[in-house]
């Protein structure tokens, strides 16, 4: 529902695997299939611990149930 509302409001929904994110510039950039794109903002649906969020890491095998 939230994704549909965002699309209806004019957001560009990128349904690809984002390989890297750069937030060092005034506008964030993201890399999909080797192509860097700029955005006004990013909403990443990648989970709480992933490689795209600074100071986080993927869960280790012994941390899984």
């Amino acid at each position: 529902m939230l994704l549909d509302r965002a699309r209806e409001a004019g957001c560009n929904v990128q349904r690809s695997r984002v390989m890297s994110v750069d937030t060092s510039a005034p506008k964030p950039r993201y890399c999909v299939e080797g192509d860097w794109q700029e955005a006004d903002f990013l909403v990443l649906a990648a989970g709480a611990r992933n490689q795209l969020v600074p100071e986080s890491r993927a869960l280790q095998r012994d941390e899984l149930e």
Side-chain angles (χ1 to χ4, degrees), residues 35-64:
D35 182 34
W36 283 94
Q37 299 181 27
E38 187 178 83
D40 292 326
F41 62 91
L42 297 175
V43 177
L44 299 172
R49 292 186 181 188
N50 64 73
Q51 297 172 351
L52 299 176
V53 177
E55 290 135 17
S56 71
R57 61 178 175 74
L59 290 171
Q60 302 299 311
R61 181 178 298 248
D62 62 343
E63 296 175 311
L64 300 172

Side-chain angles (χ1 to χ4, degrees), residues 3-54:
L3 183 61
D4 289 338
R5 287 184 179 178
R7 185 181 300 111
E8 290 167 6
C11 290
N12 177 22
V13 176
Q14 180 74 48
R15 289 185 174 265
S16 299
R17 184 176 185 144
V18 175
M19 302 306 292
S20 187
V21 172
D22 176 14
T23 59
S24 63
K27 288 190 172 191
R29 298 182 327 136
Y30 61 97
C31 182
V32 174
E33 298 177 6
D35 182 34
W36 283 94
Q37 299 181 27
E38 187 178 83
D40 292 326
F41 62 91
L42 297 175
V43 177
L44 299 172
R49 292 186 181 188
N50 64 73
Q51 297 172 351
L52 299 176
V53 177

